[in-house]
Amino acid sequence: MNKIIEPLVNVDLETGKLSGKEVIEVLKKLNDLKNVFGAEEVRAGMDQEQVIYEVQAHLPIAEGTLAGLFYGTTIIYPGKVGDEYFMTKGHFHAQSDRAEYYWGIEGEGMLLLMDKDRNTWAEKMYKGSLHYIPADVAHRTVNTGDSRFILGACWPSDAGHNYEEIMQNGFSARLVEKEGNPVLVSEQEVGL
Ligand code: PAN
Ligand code: ZN
């Protein structure tokens, strides 16, 4: 009855790394990111086994369960496809009105956000930055630095992921390097 137990999962507060029994890990290699970057022909010519990002998550209940929470850490490795920085696929939530928190843990990056009217903006992310992703806003993270970029996330267990919308239509802007700096370029400018 009245017992004191050890936690099932631990998080390394320096690196975001999760350890414990109920942790799942997903690797995304360049091969998994077809048509994600503007320069698909450049991506296709690179090493397809290269890991671009990895996600560790603690999902203590079944996906789709109402009113629970999930916790995850994402590591995005540094690099570019052409002039576009390595980034996640990005998604709306399947239950599109579900919000999410992100926070920066290590390195430098950006959170790319796009509403349903395809207005896209970016927020700088760094160790300690906190980001509230509102309902109905697609989100993708981008490593704009030259070392690994790590972020934490917490989202509702019934949010789900709608990757299809972004695979079909993309975001309306991309983060590219120009003269050594990240610049948000809209689809009109690059003819996405
Ligand atoms: C995050 C993301 C994670 C990977 O946990 O799932 O950063 O990005 P993609 O899912 O776009 O590949 C989250 O937003 N969960 O809802
Ligand atoms: Zn999400």
Side-chain angles (χ1 to χ4, degrees):
M1 269 308 227
N2 300 328
K3 56 182 181 176
I4 296 173
I5 60 171
E6 293 294 326
L8 291 173
V9 180
N10 286 279
V11 55
D12 181 325
L13 292 177
E14 281 302 309
T15 63
K17 192 166 176 53
L18 299 178
S19 54
K21 282 197 183 127
E22 296 181 355
V23 175
I24 60 142
E25 292 183 313
V26 180
L27 288 187
K28 294 287 181 200
K29 298 180 179 179
L30 214 40
N31 191 39
D32 301 313
L33 301 177
K34 292 189 182 104
N35 297 312
V36 167
F37 296 93
E40 168 57 20
E41 70 292 348
V42 176
R43 186 208 62 82
M46 294 167 68
D47 174 9
Q48 298 302 296
E49 288 301 303
Q50 185 177 0
V51 175
I52 306 305
Y53 65 98
E54 48 188 86
V55 182
Q56 278 193 310
H58 176 49
L59 313 176
I61 45 175
E63 284 219 67
T65 306
L66 191 68
L69 292 171
F70 291 153
Y71 185 103
T73 299
T74 303
I75 301 175
I76 309 175
Y77 292 96
K80 285 177 287 174
V81 173
D83 58 3
E84 190 173 14
Y85 299 100
F86 285 175
M87 60 185 179
T88 60
K89 287 173 83 167
H91 56 268
F92 284 98
H93 289 149
Q95 298 283 335
S96 69
D97 64 351
R98 299 304 194 261
E100 181 163 4
Y101 268 117
Y102 275 5
W103 58 94
I105 295 173
E106 182 185 302
E108 282 172 37
M110 295 258 190
L111 168 58
L112 210 57
L113 297 158
M114 181 177 76
D115 68 20
K116 294 249 160 161
D117 296 326
R118 298 187 59 74
N119 298 304
T120 297
W121 67 103
E123 292 181 11
K124 284 186 185 174
M125 293 187 76
Y126 48 85
K127 183 176 180 174
S129 66
L130 183 68
H131 309 266
Y132 180 73
I133 301 165
D136 296 312
V137 172
H139 39 288
R140 152 182 286 169
T141 42
V142 185
N143 187 342
T144 54
D146 50 17
S147 59
R148 60 187 192 168
F149 168 49
I150 307 180
L151 62 126
C154 184
W155 66 101
S157 53
D158 65 341
H161 297 96
N162 169 6
Y163 291 105
E164 208 48 43
E165 174 73 26
I166 298 301
M167 284 311 293
Q168 295 282 321
N169 303 314
F171 280 65
S172 63
R174 294 181 178 278
L175 266 170
V176 299
E177 186 180 80
K178 283 197 175 165
E179 292 161 6
N181 295 311
V183 178
L184 190 58
V185 181
S186 71
E187 56 191 346
Q188 288 85 4
E189 289 168 271
V190 283
L192 293 173

